C-alpha cells in the first residue's frame, strides 16, 4: 500500500510527481470527493472520464503498464504535464495539457490523462485481453501449431475446439455480418417501396443496435434507451414502434415526412438488440404537400405528428391508430405501403441477428458485439489524440435567411480535446428561427459524422458504431437553430444541415487544412414547378439542384455536381418528355468556382422556358454568404435566380420563394453557387489553368489576375516566362493569405472579392 | 474433325478451351495475358494448344473470343480522340455528366472524376433543336454547323460523334450533320447517337456514341490482326466476339458496336455456370465466381442468367442490356489487415497479380486470402498444375504477422481470414437474393474461378443453398460460357407516352421496323433463315418515375383488347415482383426487339456412372485445418475422378486452375459430366445459419 495521504482538498503537484499507477485512482477519487461540492464541474464528466482513462489502459494493456509524471507546469491557466507510460518494458513519453478554469486539480487530472492517451497512442493497435481465449497453454502468438503443408502425421490438438473457435470468431467478422444485414434491410425496403427516394436508397436508412440500444451497424444512430425511458415504453416480442416527431427522438428523424420504425429483437425471448428503419414518405399532411411549408410557423403546421406509439403490439397491428395517421395525409396508400415495407426490412434485420445468435450462441454474439464496440472506442481514442487540438478552435458560418425575412443565422462550433475525450460545443449558434429552417441536430448521427471526418483525414479505417459515442461530448444550447424547442418548425432543415457540415469541416480544418476541403454550393437546394399542362393534367416537377463542389485535397471541386450523396441531375430529355417546359441551356457558370491550386467547382446555370401557367417554389442558399475557400483558395460565387418575361424584362427572385405564380412563355434562370477553392492559385499548374480557359470554365482575365497565367492570341498559347515573372511579382506584393477566404458579399457571378 | 475454340482474355490469364465436336471432350490451357497486345497472347496460346493436341489449324471451325482488350483499352483510355457535336447550349453534356457523387456523406471529397471520353475542348455546339415528340423546334443552321464542323475536323480529331437532343425521336439533323462531315472529310469516321443506342437520356446516349467511335479502331485492329495471323497458319475459323448480354456477334458487328463487348469475362463465368447448372439438372441456382482480384455473384433462373439494363465501365454508364452480376472485390489476392482498434479486415486492398500472395514467392509480404488457405493446408504444393510452387514458409510468415497483431495462434488467424471471406461472399449472395426477392432455399450454388470452389461449400452452408456444383472446367468457366454463346442483339425505340393513348397501328409499325433490323442482323451473322428469331418486349412503368417492367408482346395481338391485356399483365407482374400496384396511368417507356439464334448444340461427353470408390484418385494426404484442429485430409486429382465416384469430406480436390474444399460432414458425387455435386452427408443438414 502507498503511504500517500492527501493533505488538502486539492492534489499537490509534488504528490502527482511521486504518484504511480496504483495511486492514481485514489488521488483522483479523493480529489473528486473533496472538490465536487465546491468547484464547478469541468466540461464533461471528469470522474467518468478518469475512470474511463484508467479502464482504457487496463483494457488495452492489462496489468502490464505503469506510468509516471515526469514534468508539469501551470502557465496562465494552461496546465501541461509530461508523462511516461511503460508497457512490457517499453516506454513512451508525451505531453498533455488542459485549461484550468479555476480548477487546477481537475485540469491536472485531465492533462495527465491526455498525456497518457498520447503515450498509449504511440503503442501499436492490439486487441484487449478480453477478446482472447484464456488458453494458458497457448504457444507464442503467430507460431504455427504444426507446420502447414508438411507431410508429417497429423496431430489433433489437445485444446478443446471451443476455446480455439472463440479466438477465431473475431469481432471483425461480426462487423461484416452486421453490415451485410443492414444492406439487406435497405434492399428489402427498396424492393417493395413505391417511391423513388426509398427505391433508389437515398431516402432511407437502416440501423442495427445491441440490447442496450447502441448502434452496431447503421446509417444513423440515436438514443434508443433514452427514448424508451422518456416515453415510459417497455417493448415486448411482436412490438413495433412508429414515430415521426423529431422532438421525441432527439432529431433521429429530421421532419414529419421522415418516418421511423423500431423493432426489438429477441433470441428465445431474450432481448438481443433492435432494428430500426427510417424512410421518407411523400406526404405527411399539413397545408403543403411533403411537409415542407415554407411559411410554417410551428411543427403543427407541417403535418400529422406521431409521438412514439406501438404500431404493432404482440404482433397485432393497431388499425385504429394507423387509420387516424394515414387519414391525415394526402398519400395514405403509398404511406401505408412504405410503412409496411419498413417493418418488413426491420424483420429481415431481426432474422439475421437471430441467425447470428444461433450460429455462435447468444452469449458469444453479445460478447462479440461488445468487443466490436470496444475496438471502435480504442480506434477513436487514437483518432481524437492524433487529429484534435487541446487548444479550442472555433469556426462559424451562416445560413442567409429563413424565407420569412429573418436572418442571417449563425452556426458556431468550438472543438477541442482533453485527453482522449473530444468536445464539440455549438455555443454561439443563433437562436432558433421563426421560419422552418431549424435543424434538430441528432447527437448520435453527429458523432458518427465526426468519426467519418476524422477517418477521412487520417486515412485510418475503423468500424463505425456507437463504441465511439462516450468519447465525443456535444454541447447544444437549447432554443437555438440546431437544438430548437418544440414546436419550432423544421420543414426546411436541409440548409442548416448542410451548413453544419461546412462548419464542422471548417472547425476541423484548423489543425490540418491540407487534409480538409473548402465549402460548396450547399446541400440539397431544390425547386418545384407545378400546375396543369396542355392536356389539363396536373403536374409537379421537383428537382434537386446541382452546383459547384468544394476544392479538395484530392483535386478540383467538380463543376455542377451533387454535394449530397447519391443524387442525379434530371436529364433534359426526361424533363421535356414529362413536363411543360423546355431547357434552353445548361452549363457551368464561368469563374464561379473559387480560384485555387485545386479550384472550386463552378455553379450551373440552367435556362427553363416555361410552357404552362403554374406555381414556383425555390429553396436555395448561399445567396449572400459565399462558400469559403481554404488555404489560399478563393471563395465561390453566390447563387442567383430570376424570371425573364417574353419581353426580356427581368424579375429577380430571392433564394427562397414559395408558391409564386408563373406564366407560360416566361423563362426561369437558376444559377447555383460555386465551390470555394483549395490552396494557393499561384501554385496551380499553368497548363491546367490554360486547359480551363480553353474549355470555357475559367476566363482569360481571371487566369491572369488570380492565377498569374499569361496566355496569348486566339490559340491561348501559354507564355511560361511571362507567367513565371507575373507570379513572382504577385507573390512579392501580396499579404500572406488567410486560412479561410470568406470574400465580400453580394458579388453575384464572380467568385472573388 | 471439327473443333471449336473458345478464349477468355482475363487481366492476368488467358484461358483456352478446345471442344472436339465428335468426342464431346474438352481440352484446357491457361497462359499469361499480354495486356499491350491481347492478340499476340491469343495467337501464342493457339499455337501451344494445337501443338499439345496434335490437331491441325484448319480443323478449328469457330473461335469465340471475349473483348478483354476492350476493357483494357477503356481503362487505359487508350482510345481514339473524338470530336463531339451536340445541340448548342448543351456543350457540357459529358463534362457535367449526371452530377452524381458516391453514395456516402462527403463521398465527393475523395471521388476520382471520370475523364469524359471526349474533351470539352473537342466539343462543338450547333444551332438546332428537336422536341421530345421529334418535331423540329429550331431548324438546323447548316452554315453555322459547317463552320463548327470545319474547325473540329481541322483540329485533328480521329473521328466524330454526333449526339443531338431528342435524336432518338427524330434523327434527321444527326443524319444531315453526318453528310456535312462526309463532305468536309470523306475519310473521317462518323457515329450518330440515333444509330448506336437510341434511348432517351442525353448523357448516356452521348457516352455510347462517343465510346463507339473511340473504341472502334482498337477493336477493328485487334480482330484484323488475329484474323491475319490465323490465315498465316491456314486457319480460317469464324470469329465471334462475346457480348455483355451473354450473346455473341461476328467480327464485323463487334467493330460496329464495340460497347457491347465490355466486361465479358465476368459475363462468361455466369453463362458458363448457367450451362453447367442446367446440365446438372439445377436450372435455378446462384453462380459464385471468385478469382484472384474479385468475386461475382449472379442469379440463374430456369438455366438463364438474370439480366439488368445498364453497364458501367471506368465510371461511364452504358445503357446496354447486361447479365446482372453483383461484384465484390474479394479474391485470392485480397490483403488481410488489422485495423480500427484490433479488428481483422480483408480487402479492399489487393496484392494483385504482381507480387501477388506471399506464397507465390514473388516478393509479396502481405498476408492474402490465398496465404491463409495455404496455412490451413487447403492448397496443393503447387498451383497451375504444379507450374507455380507455393512457398508455404512465406505464407506462414505473412499470416503470422496478422496472428501476432491479433495475439492469436497461426491457424486460428488463418481460419479467421478464410471465414471473413466466407462472410463477405455471403453478403454478396444475400444482396443478390434480396434484390430479386428470392430465398436461398431450392437454389443450387455453382462455383467457378480459381477460388470459388475453395469457399462455395462454406458459403452454401451459411446461405442455405443446396447442392454446390463445381464444374469440371471450374477455372475456365468464362471460356465455357463463351463456347456456348449464341448470336444475340437487341433493337429498341424509346416511346415515352401513356399506354392508354398509344396507337396500336403505330406500335405494330415500330415493331415491324425493329423486326427487320433484327432479321438483317441475323442474316449478317450468317444465321440460316428459320434458325433465328426475333422476340418483342415492351417496357412499362407506372407514370414516368415508376419501376420498369419488361413484358413480352406479340405485336399482331396489340389491336382490340391487346393494350388493356398488356396493362393487366403489367399490374399482375408488378404485384408479384414488387408486392403492390400503383394507382397511376401506365407509361409505355420503350419498345424492344431481341434477335437471337439458338446456340450451337454441342454435346459434351457423357460418362457412364461407375463405382463410388474414389481412392484411386487420391494423390496425397496432408494435414488440413478444419474447425479448430488439423485432420488428415485426402487430396484428390480432379482429372482422375470418374463419374459415380463419391468423396467424403474433409477432402481437397485439386485441378490445374482451381481447388475445391469439401467440408467435413459433406459428400461430393461426380456426375455424368464430371461435375462435383456437393451435398450434406445427412439430408437436410444444410439449413441457413448452421455453423
Amino acid at each position: 500500500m502507498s503511504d500517500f495521504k492527501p493533505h488538502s482538498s486539492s492534489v499537490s503537484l509534488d504528490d502527482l510527481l511521486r504518484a504511480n499507477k496504483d495511486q492514481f485512482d485514489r488521488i483522483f477519487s479523493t480529489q473528486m470527493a473533496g472538490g465536487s461540492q465546491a468547484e464547478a464541474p469541468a466540461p464533461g464528466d471528469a470522474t467518468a472520464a478518469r475512470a474511463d482513462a484508467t479502464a482504457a489502459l487496463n483494457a488495452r494493456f492489462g496489468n502490464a503498464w505503469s506510468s509516471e509524471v515526469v514534468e508539469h507546469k501551470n502557465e496562465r491557466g494552461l496546465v501541461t504535464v509530461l508523462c511516461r507510460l511503460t508497457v512490457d518494458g517499453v516506454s513512451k513519453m508525451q505531453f498533455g495539457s488542459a485549461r484550468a478554469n479555476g480548477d487546477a486539480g481537475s485540469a491536472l487530472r485531465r492533462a495527465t490523462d491526455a498525456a497518457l492517451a498520447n503515450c498509449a497512442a504511440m503503442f501499436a493497435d492490439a486487441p484487449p485481453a478480453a477478446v482472447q481465449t484464456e488458453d494458458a497453454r497457448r504457444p507464442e502468438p503467430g507460431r504455427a501449431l504444426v507446420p502447414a503443408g508438411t507431410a508429417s502425421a497429423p496431430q489433433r490438438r489437445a485444446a478443446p475446439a471451443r476455446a480455439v473457435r472463440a479466438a477465431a470468431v473475431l469481432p471483425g467478422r461480426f462487423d461484416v455480418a452486421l453490415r451485410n444485414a443492414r444492406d439487406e434491410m435497405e434492399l428489402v425496403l427498396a424492393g417493395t417501396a413505391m417511391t423513388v427516394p426509398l427505391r433508389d436508397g437515398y431516402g432511407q436508412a437502416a440501423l442495427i443496435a445491441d440490447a442496450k440500444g447502441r448502434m452496431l451497424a447503421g446509417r444513423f444512430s440515436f438514443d434508443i434507451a433514452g427514448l424508451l425511458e422518456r416515453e415510459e415504453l417497455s417493448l415486448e416480442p411482436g412490438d413495433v414502434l412508429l414515430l415521426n416527431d423529431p422532438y421525441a427522438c432527439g432529431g433521429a428523424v429530421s421532419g414529419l415526412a421522415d418516418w421511423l420504425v423500431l423493432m426489438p429483437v429477441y433470441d428465445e425471448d431474450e432481448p438481443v438488440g433492435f432494428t430500426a428503419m427510417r424512410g421518407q414518405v411523400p406526404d405527411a399532411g399539413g397545408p403543403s404537400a411533403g411537409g415542407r411549408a415554407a411559411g410554417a410557423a410551428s411543427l403543427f403546421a407541417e403535418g400529422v405528428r406521431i409521438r412514439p406509439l406501438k404500431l404493432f403490439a404482440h404482433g397485432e397491428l393497431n388499425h385504429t391508430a394507423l387509420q387516424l395517421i394515414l387519414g391525415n395525409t394526402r398519400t395514405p396508400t403509398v404511406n401505408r405501403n412504405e410503412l409496411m415495407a419498413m417493418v418488413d426490412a426491420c424483420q429481415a434485420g431481426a432474422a439475421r441477428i437471430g441467425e447470428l445468435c444461433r450460429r455462435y450462441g447468444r452469449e458469444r454474439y453479445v460478447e462479440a458485439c461488445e468487443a466490436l464496440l470496444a475496438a471502435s472506442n480504442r480506434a477513436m481514442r487514437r483518432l481524437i489524440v492524433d487529429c484534435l487540438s487541446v487548444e479550442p478552435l472555433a469556426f462559424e458560418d451562416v445560413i442567409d435567411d429563413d424565407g420569412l425575412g429573418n436572418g442571417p443565422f449563425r452556426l458556431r462550433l468550438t472543438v477541442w480535446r482533453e485527453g482522449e475525450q473530444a468536445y464539440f460545443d455549438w455555443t454561439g449558434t443563433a437562436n432558433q428561427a421563426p421560419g422552418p429552417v431549424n435543424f434538430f441536430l441528432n447527437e448520435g448521427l453527429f458523432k458518427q459524422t465526426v468519426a467519418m471526418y476524422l477517418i477521412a483525414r487520417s486515412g485510418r479505417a475503423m468500424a463505425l458504431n456507437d463504441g465511439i459515442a462516450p468519447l465525443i461530448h456535444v454541447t447544444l444550447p437549447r432554443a437555438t437553430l440546431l437544438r430548437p424547442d418544440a414546436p419550432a418548425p423544421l420543414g426546411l432543415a436541409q440548409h442548416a444541415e448542410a451548413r453544419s457540415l461546412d462548419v464542422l469541416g471548417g472547425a476541423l480544418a484548423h489543425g490540418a487544412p491540407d487534409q480538409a476541403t473548402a465549402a460548396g454550393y450547399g446541400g440539397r437546394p431544390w425547386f418545384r414547378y407545378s400546375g396543369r399542362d396542355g392536356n389539363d393534367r396536373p403536374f409537379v416537377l421537383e428537382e434537386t439542384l446541382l452546383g459547384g463542389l468544394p476544392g479538395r485535397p484530392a483535386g478540383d471541386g467538380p463543376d455542377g455536381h451533387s454535394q449530397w450523396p447519391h443524387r442525379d441531375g434530371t436529364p433534359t430529355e426526361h424533363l421535356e418528355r414529362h413536363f411543360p417546359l423546355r431547357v434552353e441551356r445548361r452549363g457551368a457558370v464561368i469563374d464561379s468556382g473559387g480560384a485555387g491550386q485545386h479550384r472550386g467547382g463552378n455553379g450551373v446555370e440552367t435556362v427553363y422556358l416555361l410552357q404552362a401557367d403554374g406555381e414556383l417554389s425555390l429553396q436555395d442558399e448561399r445567396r449572400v454568404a459565399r462558400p469559403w475557400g481554404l488555404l489560399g483558395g478563393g471563395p465561390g460565387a453566390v447563387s442567383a435566380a430570376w424570371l425573364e418575361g417574353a419581353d426580356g424584362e427581368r424579375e429577380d427572385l430571392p433564394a427562397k420563394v414559395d408558391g409564386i405564380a408563373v406564366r407560360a412563355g416566361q423563362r426561369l434562370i437558376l444559377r447555383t453557387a460555386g465551390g470555394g477553392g483549395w490552396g494557393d492559385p499561384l501554385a496551380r499548374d499553368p497548363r491546367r489553368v490554360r486547359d480551363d480557359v480553353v474549355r470555357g470554365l475559367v476566363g482569360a482575365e481571371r487566369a491572369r489576375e488570380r492565377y498569374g497565367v499569361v496566355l496569348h492570341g486566339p490559340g491561348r498559347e501559354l507564355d511560361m516566362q511571362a507567367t513565371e515573372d507575373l507570379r513572382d511579382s504577385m507573390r512579392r506584393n501580396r499579404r500572406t493569405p488567410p486560412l479561410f477566404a470568406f470574400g465580400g458579399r453580394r458579388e453575384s457571378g464572380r467568385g472573388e472579392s | 474433325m471439327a473443333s471449336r475454340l473458345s478464349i477468355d482474355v482475363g487481366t492476368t490469364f488467358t484461358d483456352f478451351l478446345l471442344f472436339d465436336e465428335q468426342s464431346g471432350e474438352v481440352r484446357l490451357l491457361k497462359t499469361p495475358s499480354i495486356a499491350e497486345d491481347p492478340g499476340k497472347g491469343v495467337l501464342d496460346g493457339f499455337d501451344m494448344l494445337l501443338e499439345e493436341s496434335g490437331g491441325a489449324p484448319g480443323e478449328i471451325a469457330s473461335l469465340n473470343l471475349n473483348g478483354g482488350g476492350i476493357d483494357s483499352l477503356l481503362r487505359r483510355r487508350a482510345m481514339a480522340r473524338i470530336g463531339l457535336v451536340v445541340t448548342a447550349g448543351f456543350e457540357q453534356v459529358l463534362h457535367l455528366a449526371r452530377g452524381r457523387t458516391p453514395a456516402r456523406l462527403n463521398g465527393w471529397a475523395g471521388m476520382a472524376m471520370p475523364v469524359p471520353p471526349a474533351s470539352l475542348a473537342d466539343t462543338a455546339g450547333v444551332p438546332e433543336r428537336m422536341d421530345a415528340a421529334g418535331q423540329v423546334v429550331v431548324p438546323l443552321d447548316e452554315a453555322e454547323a459547317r463552320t463548327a464542323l470545319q474547325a473540329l475536323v481541322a483540329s485533328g480529331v480521329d473521328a466524330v460523334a454526333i449526339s443531338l437532343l431528342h435524336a432518338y425521336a427524330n434523327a434527321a439533323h444527326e443524319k444531315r450533320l453526318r453528310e456535312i462531315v462526309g463532305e468536309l472529310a470523306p475519310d473521317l469516321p462518323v457515329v450518330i447517337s440515333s444509330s448506336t443506342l437510341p434511348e432517351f437520356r442525353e448523357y448516356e446516349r452521348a457516352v455510347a456514341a462517343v465510346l463507339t467511335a473511340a473504341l472502334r479502331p482498337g477493336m477493328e485492329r485487334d480482330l484484323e490482326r488475329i484474323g491475319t495471323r490465323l490465315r498465316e497458319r491456314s486457319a480460317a475459323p469464324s470469329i465471334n466476339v462475346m457480348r455483355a448480354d451473354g450473346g455473341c456477334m461476328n467480327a464485323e458487328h463487334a467493330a460496329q458496336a464495340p460497347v457491347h463487348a465490355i466486361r465479358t469475362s465476368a459475363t462468361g463465368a455466369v453463362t458458363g455456370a448457367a450451362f453447367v447448372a442446367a446440365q446438372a439438372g439445377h436450372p435455378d441456382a446462384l453462380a459464385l465466381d471468385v478469382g484472384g482480384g474479385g468475386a461475382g455473384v449472379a442469379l440463374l433462373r430456369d438455366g438463364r442468367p438474370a439480366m439488368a439494363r445498364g453497364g458501367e465501365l471506368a465510371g461511364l454508364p452504358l445503357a446496354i442490356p447486361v447479365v446482372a452480376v453483383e461484384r465484390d472485390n474479394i479474391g485470392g489476392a485480397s490483403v488481410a489487415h488489422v485495423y480500427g482498434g484490433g479488428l481483422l479486415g480483408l480487402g479492399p486492398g489487393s496484392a494483385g497479380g504482381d507480387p501477388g500472395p506471399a506464397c507465390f514467392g514473388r516478393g509479396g509480404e502481405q498476408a492474402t486470402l490465398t496465404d491463409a488457405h495455404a496455412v490451413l493446408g487447403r492448397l496443393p504444393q503447387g498451383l497451375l498444375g504444379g507450374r507455380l510452387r507455393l512457398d508455404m514458409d512465406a505464407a506462414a510468415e505473412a499470416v503470422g504477422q496478422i496472428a501476432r497483431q491479433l495475439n492469436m495462434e497461426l491457424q486460428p488467424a488463418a481460419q479467421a481470414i478464410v471465414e471473413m471471406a466466407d462472410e463477405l461472399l455471403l453478403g454478396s449472395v444475400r444482396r443478390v437474393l434480396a434484390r430479386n426477392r428470392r430465398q436461398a432455399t431450392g437454389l443450387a450454388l455453382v462455383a467457378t474461378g480459381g477460388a470459388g470452389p475453395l469457399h462455395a461449400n462454406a458459403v452454401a452452408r451459411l446461405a442455405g443453398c443446396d447442392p454446390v456444383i463445381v464444374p469440371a472446367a471450374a477455372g475456365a468457366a468464362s471460356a465455357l460460357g463463351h463456347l456456348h454463346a449464341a448470336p444475340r442483339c437487341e433493337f429498341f425505340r424509346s416511346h415515352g407516352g401513356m399506354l392508354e393513348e398509344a396507337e396500336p397501328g403505330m406500335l405494330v409499325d415500330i415493331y415491324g421496323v425493329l423486326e427487320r433490323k433484327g432479321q438483317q442482323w441475323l442474316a449478317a451473322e450468317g444465321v440460316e433463315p428459320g434458325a433465328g428469331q426475333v422476340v418483342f418486349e415492351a417496357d412499362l412503368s407506372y407514370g414516368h418515375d415508376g419501376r420498369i417492367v419488361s413484358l413480352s408482346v406479340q405485336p399482331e395481338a396489340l389491336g382490340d383488347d391487346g393494350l388493356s391485356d398488356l396493362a393487366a399483365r403489367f399490374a399482375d407482374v408488378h404485384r408479384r415482383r414488387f408486392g403492390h400496384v400503383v394507382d397511376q396511368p401506365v407509361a409505355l417507356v420503350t419498345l424492344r426487339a431481341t434477335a437471337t439464334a439458338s446456340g450451337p448444340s454441342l454435346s459434351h461427353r457423357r460418362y457412364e456412372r461407375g463405382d463410388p470408390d474414389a481412392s484411386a484418385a487420391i494423390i496425397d494426404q496432408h494435414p488440413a485445418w478444419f474447425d479448430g484442429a488439423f485432420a488428415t485430409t485426402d487430396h484428390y486429382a480432379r482429372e482422375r475422378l470418374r463419374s459415380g465416384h463419391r468423396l467424403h469430406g474433409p477432402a481437397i480436390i485439386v485441378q490445374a486452375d482451381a481447388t475445391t474444399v469439401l467440408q467435413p460432414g459433406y459428400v461430393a458425387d461426380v456426375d455424368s459430366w464430371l461435375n462435383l455435386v456437393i451435398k450434406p452427408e445427412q439430408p437436410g443438414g444444410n439449413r441457413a445459419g448452421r455453423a
Side-chain angles (χ1 to χ4, degrees), chain A residues 247-269:
Chain A
Y247 293 104
C249 57
V253 293
S254 58
L256 295 181
D258 198 2
W259 289 14
L260 189 155
V261 296
L262 175 69
M263 179 184 285
V265 182
Y266 300 86
D267 177 56
E268 293 171 343
D269 290 337

Side-chain angles (χ1 to χ4, degrees), chain B residues 240-307:
Chain B
N240 297 305
V241 176
M242 297 303 115
R243 293 168 55 94
D245 59 12
C248 66
M249 53 189 165
N250 66 24
E252 196 185 324
H253 284 147
Q256 272 171 22
V259 294
H260 285 287
I262 62 164
R263 284 195 160 156
T264 44
S265 216
T267 304
V270 177
T271 53
F275 173 78
V276 170
Q279 190 186 48
H282 294 278
D284 290 325
L286 286 161
L288 170 70
D289 185 77
V290 188
V297 177
L299 179 67
L300 310 173
R301 277 190 292 238
D302 203 16
R304 283 198 297 270
M307 302 289 288

Side-chain angles (χ1 to χ4, degrees), chain A residues 21 57-66 86-88:
Chain A
K21 177 166 81 86
L57 290 169
N58 283 334
R60 230 184 118 177
F61 305 117
N63 297 323
W65 66 280
S66 62
T86 305
V87 179
D88 285 334

Side-chain angles (χ1 to χ4, degrees), chain A residues 132 138 141-142 148 154 173 190 192-193 199 359 378 453 537 552 559 562 568-569 572-573 576 583 588, chain B residues 92 95 98-101 106 108 111 129 166 201-202 205 341 375 407-409 423 501 545 547 580 632:
Chain A
Q132 305 303 316
R138 190 174 65 224
R173 182 174 188 185
T192 55
R199 272 161 35 201
R359 215 203 268 174
R378 279 190 298 279
Y453 272 73
R537 275 191 297 228
R552 51 204 177 120
D559 300 333
S562 172
D568 279 348
T572 292
E573 291 177 349
E576 295 186 357
V583 181
Chain B
Q92 296 182 6
H95 179 71
R98 285 288 290 275
R100 177 174 281 212
T101 51
N106 286 7
W108 49 265
M111 172 190 183
R129 192 67 149 85
H166 299 298
R201 287 193 194 96
E202 64 274 13
R205 199 170 65 254
V375 165
N407 201 16
M408 287 173 76
E409 297 154 16
E423 198 73 52
E501 292 163 14
D545 62 359
R547 301 164 190 275
H580 63 261
T632 305

